[in-house]
Amino acid sequence: MPRETKAAKSARAVEVCRRLDQKYGPVECFLDHESPFHLVISVLLSAQTTDAQVNRVTPELFRRWPTPADLAAASPAEVAEVIHSLGFYKTKARHCVECAQTIVTDFAGEVPHTMRELTSLPGVGRKTANIVLNVSFGIVEGIAVDTHVNRIAHRLALSPKTHASEPLKTEQDLLGILPREYWHDVNHQWIRHGRDTCTARSPKCEGCVLEDICPSAHLA
């Protein structure tokens, strides 16, 4: 099979986005939140945990500690009791409190809205920052690469196999072939596709809207 040129790969990536946009249209954030602060904490909690599980614990979490100042004054042990059903809950509880404390001390209680400032918050990496910037502030700095986006990017051969375990490299690969106007919708639309069709196990290739342009169709 001849090696795909960057121009051809870019055209195929754009076609992927076009088809998924046609199928799903605008997709709302999957995490329940009422403020940028709630979203930061929710995304922080979602690492290696489903959004549904996060949405089950955050109502009580934000009822008890609705603002950065409130959560900054909590103890990690108290927070851990509320989120104990989540994976790595003790570490996440500590990060939640430390994140809130940093927002209070370094940013006057307001969630910052630059990549550099957001990633300075404890527990907040580039994926979380991308989601918060995009959803809460309408700022598109990159593409949030979660497990679904990463899996789809590699099944579609839009990122080399050597980057499969490095989401940050996968993001850079996608940014290099997708025009900026497509970045906004990738995360949520690809997550929908990953949940509905291109699942981790037994992907539904037959009838998939990407079947004819996916090199992994019927092989995964």
Side-chain angles (χ1 to χ4, degrees), residues 17 39-40 45 54 86 89 92 102 115-116 128 152:
C17 291
L39 183 58
V40 169
L45 294 177
V54 173
L86 305 182
Y89 71 96
K92 290 177 179 178
T102 303
M115 178 63 72
R116 181 182 61 80
T128 298
I152 292 169

Side-chain angles (χ1 to χ4, degrees), residues 9-213:
K9 183 178 292 186
S10 177
R12 191 162 57 86
V14 167
E15 180 63 10
V16 167
C17 291
R18 189 194 68 77
R19 293 186 189 185
L20 293 183
D21 184 62
Q22 187 175 43
K23 180 177 181 180
Y24 296 115
V27 178
E28 295 295 320
C29 181
F30 301 103
L31 292 165
D32 298 335
H33 63 283
E34 296 180 356
S35 68
F37 173 63
H38 288 185
L39 183 58
V40 169
I41 297 300
S42 293
V43 182
L44 186 159
L45 294 177
S46 71
Q48 300 185 50
T49 303
T50 68
D51 293 341
Q53 289 174 308
V54 173
N55 288 339
R56 282 195 286 270
V57 303
T58 49
E60 176 62 14
L61 180 70
F62 297 138
R63 185 191 69 78
R64 293 179 63 173
W65 304 291
T67 69
D70 294 323
L71 190 55
S75 73
E78 289 178 301
V79 176
E81 288 180 8
V82 175
I83 67 168
H84 72 274
S85 62
L86 305 182
F88 306 100
Y89 71 96
K90 291 183 180 179
T91 298
K92 290 177 179 178
R94 186 180 76 252
H95 283 159
C96 283
V97 173
E98 293 175 348
C99 179
Q101 289 171 341
T102 303
I103 290 172
V104 170
T105 58
D106 293 3
F107 302 104
E110 298 292 330
V111 174
H113 50 270
T114 69
M115 178 63 72
R116 181 182 61 80
E117 291 172 329
L118 278 168
T119 53
S120 75
L121 301 175
V124 175
R126 185 174 171 89
K127 184 197 81 171
T128 298
N130 269 323
I131 292 173
V132 173
L133 287 172
N134 191 332
V135 174
S136 291
F137 301 112
I139 298 172
V140 182
E141 287 276 326
I143 295 171
V145 176
D146 72 338
T147 182
H148 296 287
V149 174
N150 194 57
R151 179 173 70 252
I152 292 169
H154 290 284
R155 282 184 176 167
L156 287 167
L158 299 178
S159 177
K161 291 180 180 179
T162 52
H163 293 175
S165 61
E166 300 181 82
L168 293 180
K169 288 186 178 180
T170 300
E171 180 192 4
Q172 293 308 310
D173 294 332
L174 293 176
L175 298 182
I177 59 175
L178 276 172
R180 194 180 188 94
E181 61 262 31
Y182 293 95
W183 297 358
H184 176 272
D185 293 317
V186 166
N187 181 259
H188 290 109
Q189 289 179 344
W190 289 29
I191 287 176
R192 278 288 302 275
H193 186 62
R195 290 175 176 174
D196 296 347
T197 304
C198 196
T199 54
R201 297 181 181 180
S202 304
K204 304 175 183 69
C205 298
E206 187 71 34
C208 171
V209 296
L210 306 178
E211 184 179 7
D212 61 314
I213 58 172

